[in-house]
Amino acid sequence: MACSKISVMSPSDLSTLTVALSDIGHEPSEQFLDAIVAQSLSPYFGNKLATLGNAEAVALLGALGRLGAEPDADTRRALLQECRRWLPIVNAEAVVKLGALGRLVAEPDADTRRALLTECRRRLPKFTAPELADMLVGLVKMRVKPPTVWMTQFYACVDAQLATYMPDSLTELLWAITVGHFHPPKEWMDRVMDQSELVLTRSSTNQVTTTVE
């Protein structure tokens, strides 16, 4: 597809195209990817991201991150503004957006960091297990490190839902803890590792059962 056609695509079609390219493992040329970034994110082209529904915006951001998109400084600032706009209504979809943004945005400014941590902490008890993992991954990718008191509450919220964690969420959680250089209590890590072993054992057993059937 010629880069010129990207400029006339609707925001929804642009999101669908980007997700499809990511799903099939295609590696677009740098010129092609730059054109997608410009049309979907750049403030100079109307920022089509802002016109998308939550699900499509999440999918678009995630796909661009997986494709290795590298927005310029102005576009990164526009993405941070989008992030700030979502903060008053932080919910499941916004948390996923935060994780996707983390793949595209470098370290945010101090005001955005404070706002992110404040709003996310206020809603920690309401997040599901996958949302807690997604949120911490997003913060780590944006180089936002919560303070100890924030993480103490985070650990407690994870503990409260530990039995519901599945392999994918546990993997994300452990990745964020490791890469973010957090130091949770040993007892907490022991419980998380025990849950990891449990769900992996269950997963292996289910796979064997399915194969036999």
Side-chain angles (χ1 to χ4, degrees), residues 24-150:
I24 65 176
H26 180 67
E27 295 184 6
S29 66
E30 184 176 344
Q31 180 185 15
F32 190 82
L33 188 56
D34 285 347
I36 294 179
V37 169
Q39 289 297 326
S40 58
L41 306 181
S42 174
Y44 300 117
F45 291 90
N47 190 5
K48 292 181 179 180
L49 175 69
T51 69
L52 291 172
N54 274 351
E56 286 181 315
V58 167
L60 174 60
L61 286 172
L64 285 172
R66 289 189 296 274
L67 288 171
E70 296 183 357
D72 60 26
D74 288 336
T75 302
R76 288 171 186 263
R77 280 193 288 270
L79 279 171
L80 283 175
Q81 289 175 0
E82 283 292 300
C83 186
R84 291 293 294 272
R85 185 171 62 84
W86 298 326
L87 290 180
I89 53 168
V90 173
N91 54 23
E93 290 171 316
V95 169
V96 177
K97 280 186 177 183
L98 175 60
L101 269 174
R103 300 185 180 93
L104 301 174
V105 180
E107 184 176 353
D109 58 83
D111 288 342
T112 301
R113 287 199 302 274
R114 282 193 293 270
L116 275 171
L117 293 174
T118 299
E119 292 298 328
C120 288
R121 184 184 179 187
R122 190 159 64 90
R123 292 168 172 80
L124 279 176
K126 299 179 181 180
F127 290 149
T128 65
E131 290 167 3
L132 286 168
D134 281 336
M135 177 186 59
L136 192 61
V137 167
L139 291 173
V140 169
K141 285 182 177 291
M142 284 196 286
R143 302 182 182 90
V144 175
K145 187 165 185 176
T148 300
V149 65
W150 195 104

